[in-house]
Amino acid sequence: MSPASAATRVGGPDSPYPLPLTVPRCLFKQQHTMRIPRRHLSFCSSFLSLQPSSPSSSPIAFTSSILPPHSSSGRHHLLPASTTIRSRGSTRGGGVNQFYLSYTMDGTGSDNKQLQFQQPTCNAGGQERCIWSSPTWGRKIAIGKQIFCNRSLNMKNIVAVGFDMDYTLAQYMPETFESLAYDGTIRKLVYNLGYPPELLEWAFDWKYMVRGLVLDKKRGNILKMDRHKYVKVAYHGFREMSKEDKIATYGNTLLRDSFDEPDYALIDTLFSLAEAYLFAQLVDFKDSYPRKVPDGADYSRMYRDVRAAVDLCHRDGTLKQMVAKNPGKYINEDLSIVPMLKMLRDSGRATFLVTNSLWDYTNIVMNFLCGGQSLNGSSPCNYDWLEKFDVVITGSCKPSFFHDENRANLFEVEPETGMLLNTDNGTLLPQIGNTSPRSPSKGLKKACRVFQGGSVGHLHKLLSIEASSQVLYVGDHIYGDILRSKKVLGWRTMLVVPELEREVELLWESKENRKELRLLRKERDFVEDKIHHLKWSLKFEHINADEKKNLCSELNELESQREQVRCLHQQAQRECHQKFHKVWGQLMKTGYQNSRFAHQVERFACLYTSQVTNLSFYSPDKYYRPSEDFMPHEFDILGL
């Protein structure tokens, strides 16, 4: 494919990525050769697309808008072989995904050219051009950064926007943070719970497990189900179960299993992936070396031990101490958080933070995210980030926080000392004796109040919320953040699904394969219908010997054709499945059905998106509208 045609594919009418903008004619000579003066030129890739049409020209194409971070097709930018590319700053988290291109030519006609990609600096001016409220805002948003709507939501009715911290504002790196959690859990199992030392030699594959899986604690199985709770993919440890084993275990029962606690564990948070992987390792270890596990340790006991080890890591502060020493090693830096919060507050909305983490850790993480601390954690913490919020509630104990009958005490936190002060529904009580808090320093602004504990009733009072539907809450946990806040309270909800960005990009790339799968499935149906009709004719119709012989011959050919189509269909389906994940396939699908995880997203999340700062690409007053629902009978009629 020529460079010109490759660039056209990126900006074509069927592409999910924005179309290139028109380039002024003054940039070209008559032969459409790009004029490059000797001085340094800079272009912003979000707003300019250049494509020299001459075959002899250097194949340079700058395409517009936000480029998908996972693309490996080479279609997004075409550069000369001699071009060098350098990036500055962190691009983790994909918060901005915008690069500044500078092209320098020495004017001698040589190929000594340099093209430099620079990420925008973290000052406010560099960030504002990436968000909706900036003067240079562009309407197209890359598909991986879009917000998807399950239930219509008019942001004009929202008076307060709240956020979870861990895995929502703070996106942890699985390759470092989950590995840290895994190693800590292993050490607790060995040194505290009596497991053999060889576990210390085990390694963690952070890409293996995915959200939405279910652990069968009693049988040592890991399951992926569709929205009807039918088990479609099952592994015992790391060994795939046969179709016959799946049916015998989960299909031939008089009563449908609920697949809920206490016999099953739901893997619905990214933090649970490490413990699910460790559970699978222990299952294989017990099957191979039954005498090496602690006495009486069946699969259920091993899972309880894993959970106990994880809890020990949290209680003794092992994980959070390591993160606090070097936040940049474990947390993705997202430079769009501050501009997003500023835009929401400028629109007249209150912002709040509700996290289960305590104040000391919350302050460190939010300092890192809001620019008050360096990547290695060496800079002292300050409290400037509190200016971005009206209320911060730490140690909230979600999901019980969302129950109105929760009678947990609400304490106000003195930020500088961490001292807890007694309150009466948020009103500070007079302190007795010499325990009165010292006066805050001049550098600490008290516009935002910090609390610990309490319940949703306290929060509503602090923010003067009149109706629960006036609150939009953004979180990552289906049960801890989304289900309770929506089902119990009626809050509007947005679920953060980091895996979604790669999922939709792969979905776009595989759309032709999916068309082929639908055609193969229709062909299977057509051949099977003909086979059924022939068998019916042979069984019930009075036909002579010659006709019967012909029908039998035709039947054999059709059955052979059916087998060929079946093999082709299964192979194509397997390849499409493995493109998303080698073991578990597409996050939101199980076969042709929505997965259990997708079903929960659809039921409980009003909105869902790949990361929280995607809110910054949309108007704070936007009316989010869902796509039209379709029943199976409508697909062929409407040509879907």
Side-chain angles (χ1 to χ4, degrees):
M1 179 181 293
S2 68
S5 60
T8 302
R9 287 178 61 187
V10 176
D14 295 328
S15 172
Y17 307 116
L19 295 172
L21 299 180
T22 304
V23 181
R25 296 182 62 86
C26 61
L27 287 177
F28 296 94
K29 293 182 180 179
Q30 272 189 330
Q31 293 84 7
H32 301 285
T33 304
M34 183 174 164
R35 296 175 189 252
I36 304 180
R38 298 190 183 197
R39 66 181 182 275
H40 182 84
L41 286 178
S42 293
F43 304 103
C44 176
S45 66
S46 284
F47 312 109
L48 184 60
S49 177
L50 303 179
Q51 177 68 51
S53 58
S54 171
S56 61
S57 304
S58 299
I60 304 167
F62 303 152
T63 57
S64 64
S65 189
I66 306 159
L67 303 181
H70 299 288
S71 175
S72 58
S73 63
R75 294 182 297 179
H76 302 305
H77 45 268
L78 304 167
L79 308 173
S82 60
T83 297
T84 59
I85 302 174
R86 297 190 298 273
S87 64
R88 293 183 184 175
S90 170
T91 58
R92 298 185 304 271
V96 179
N97 283 326
Q98 183 180 26
F99 295 88
Y100 289 87
L101 295 81
S102 58
Y103 190 95
T104 305
M105 189 178 230
D106 59 10
T108 62
S110 66
D111 287 332
N112 184 23
K113 313 179 188 101
Q114 279 195 337
L115 186 64
Q116 188 175 5
F117 288 71
Q118 292 179 314
Q119 192 181 355
T121 57
C122 58
N123 59 63
Q127 286 299 305
E128 284 177 358
R129 75 184 76 190
C130 306
I131 66 175
W132 176 86
S133 59
S134 65
T136 49
W137 171 74
R139 186 161 176 75
K140 288 289 185 178
I141 301 171
I143 192 168
K145 301 292 184 185
Q146 291 178 13
I147 294 175
F148 302 97
C149 180
N150 288 318
R151 179 186 170 200
S152 59
L153 191 160
N154 189 349
M155 285 294 291
K156 286 185 177 181
N157 298 329
I158 300 296
V159 301
V161 181
F163 302 91
D164 180 32
M165 184 180 76
D166 297 308
Y167 287 103
T168 301
L169 289 173
Q171 282 296 326
Y172 293 92
M173 303 179 202
E175 63 271 30
T176 55
F177 184 76
E178 298 302 335
S179 297
L180 179 68
Y182 173 87
D183 293 339
T185 305
I186 286 279
R187 286 194 293 271
K188 300 297 182 188
L189 286 171
V190 173
Y191 297 125
N192 296 71
L193 297 172
Y195 281 78
E198 49 255 58
L199 270 65
L200 297 171
E201 301 174 5
W202 288 1
F204 173 52
D205 180 1
W206 60 272
K207 295 181 179 179
Y208 185 87
M209 292 294 179
V210 298
R211 280 203 285 182
L213 302 179
V214 176
L215 305 187
D216 184 340
K217 301 177 192 177
K218 291 197 301 184
R219 301 181 180 94
N221 298 337
I222 299 99
L223 317 173
K224 186 180 181 188
M225 294 179 287
D226 65 17
R227 66 190 179 98
H228 303 293
K229 293 188 177 182
Y230 285 105
V231 176
K232 293 298 184 71
V233 184
Y235 279 74
H236 178 76
F238 292 103
R239 177 182 60 81
E240 185 174 11
M241 296 175 64
S242 66
K243 184 178 180 180
E244 292 73 24
D245 287 343
K246 281 188 296 183
I247 293 173
T249 307
Y250 301 107
N252 291 336
T253 56
L254 292 174
L255 298 175
R256 288 292 310 281
D257 204 323
S258 64
F259 295 101
D260 287 325
E261 296 284 0
D263 295 330
Y264 297 88
L266 311 178
I267 307 303
D268 286 317
T269 67
L270 292 170
F271 190 78
S272 302
L273 302 186
E275 63 189 63
Y277 189 82
L278 181 52
F279 177 66
Q281 286 180 304
L282 287 171
V283 168
D284 281 359
F285 185 72
K286 174 179 169 57
D287 291 346
S288 301
Y289 310 103
R291 295 183 180 180
K292 289 191 175 184
V293 298
D295 292 339
D298 56 8
Y299 299 130
S300 294
R301 157 82 183 278
M302 290 193 303
Y303 177 79
R304 288 197 303 272
D305 288 345
V306 170
R307 282 297 318 152
V310 171
D311 290 340
L312 282 172
C313 288
H314 282 289
R315 283 203 298 270
D316 67 10
T318 301
L319 299 180
K320 293 183 177 179
Q321 285 173 5
M322 294 298 292
V323 175
K325 289 178 182 177
N326 191 359
K329 181 178 178 181
Y330 302 103
I331 303 174
N332 286 315
E333 186 183 19
D334 190 341
L335 302 177
S336 294
I337 289 177
V338 172
M340 175 196 70
L341 293 171
K342 182 179 184 300
M343 183 178 74
L344 289 171
R345 291 176 66 79
D346 288 347
S347 71
R349 288 167 178 82
T351 55
F352 65 91
L353 180 69
V354 178
T355 174
N356 285 352
S357 294
L358 297 178
W359 165 247
D360 52 354
Y361 184 71
T362 300
N363 190 36
I364 290 171
V365 172
M366 293 306 297
N367 260 275
F368 171 74
L369 292 173
C370 295
Q373 191 171 14
S374 63
L375 287 174
N376 61 10
S378 59
S379 302
C381 287
N382 59 55
Y383 310 101
D384 293 345
W385 66 271
L386 289 173
E387 300 173 18
K388 315 296 188 299
F389 296 93
D390 293 274
V391 173
V392 171
I393 296 183
T394 63
S396 61
C397 296
K398 294 176 295 181
S400 63
F401 176 85
F402 296 120
H403 287 277
D404 240 346
E405 63 270 18
N406 179 8
R407 294 292 181 261
N409 290 328
L410 181 70
F411 298 96
E412 185 157 4
V413 179
E414 186 185 65
E416 289 188 316
T417 64
M419 181 185 291
L420 299 183
L421 310 175
N422 294 313
T423 72
D424 180 10
N425 290 323
T427 302
L428 196 63
L429 291 174
Q431 306 297 307
I432 308 300
N434 296 322
T435 58
S436 296
R438 58 190 177 91
S439 299
S441 65
K442 293 181 180 179
L444 180 60
K445 298 179 181 180
K446 294 291 285 182
C448 173
R449 299 180 68 187
V450 182
F451 297 91
Q452 178 174 310
S455 69
V456 69
H458 295 127
L459 180 63
H460 284 170
K461 182 178 179 181
L462 289 166
L463 294 173
S464 301
I465 300 297
E466 297 177 355
S468 58
S469 59
Q470 294 176 325
V471 179
L472 172 65
Y473 187 65
V474 187
D476 71 289
H477 190 184
I478 280 283
Y479 285 96
D481 294 320
I482 302 302
L483 185 150
R484 295 290 185 182
S485 60
K486 180 174 181 180
K487 201 171 181 180
V488 176
L489 295 175
W491 278 7
R492 308 310 304 273
T493 54
M494 185 169 95
L495 182 70
V496 175
V497 187
E499 311 96 311
L500 186 66
E501 185 168 355
R502 180 175 178 271
E503 177 113 341
V504 295
E505 287 162 5
L506 288 174
L507 196 59
W508 176 263
E509 292 174 8
S510 63
K511 63 177 186 175
E512 294 301 323
N513 302 87
R514 300 180 79 85
K515 289 180 183 177
E516 293 172 11
L517 279 170
R518 286 196 291 271
L519 290 174
L520 284 169
R521 200 178 191 202
K522 286 183 177 181
E523 188 173 352
R524 282 184 73 176
D525 287 342
F526 176 73
V527 173
E528 285 173 355
D529 285 344
K530 291 181 73 174
I531 289 173
H532 296 155
H533 191 268
L534 279 176
K535 284 183 175 180
W536 185 274
S537 299
L538 287 168
K539 186 175 181 180
F540 292 105
E541 292 183 12
H542 299 289
I543 51 178
N544 59 41
D546 289 338
E547 288 178 335
K548 187 173 183 179
K549 183 179 179 181
N550 291 334
L551 288 176
C552 287
S553 176
E554 186 180 352
L555 181 61
N556 289 334
E557 289 179 6
L558 285 171
E559 288 179 336
S560 175
Q561 184 181 349
R562 177 179 63 179
E563 182 62 20
Q564 290 176 1
V565 176
R566 186 188 67 83
C567 290
L568 282 173
H569 182 238
Q570 287 187 346
Q571 179 63 26
Q573 193 171 16
R574 188 178 299 110
E575 289 175 0
C576 187
H577 172 93
Q578 292 179 343
K579 183 178 287 189
F580 292 87
H581 192 282
K582 293 292 184 184
V583 178
W584 306 108
Q586 195 175 340
L587 178 70
M588 298 291 187
K589 281 281 188 290
T590 306
Y592 283 95
Q593 295 284 321
N594 282 351
S595 64
R596 170 187 163 274
F597 181 74
H599 182 55
Q600 291 173 331
V601 172
E602 189 176 30
R603 285 182 66 194
F604 301 120
C606 301
L607 308 174
Y608 65 100
T609 190
S610 62
Q611 63 187 83
V612 63
T613 48
N614 292 344
L615 274 171
S616 65
F617 301 134
Y618 294 84
S619 165
D621 293 327
K622 181 175 175 60
Y623 198 133
Y624 293 94
R625 295 178 174 88
S627 56
E628 184 180 354
D629 289 340
F630 293 103
M631 292 287 287
H633 69 273
E634 297 176 281
F635 276 80
D636 286 335
I637 297 171
L638 300 177
L640 299 172

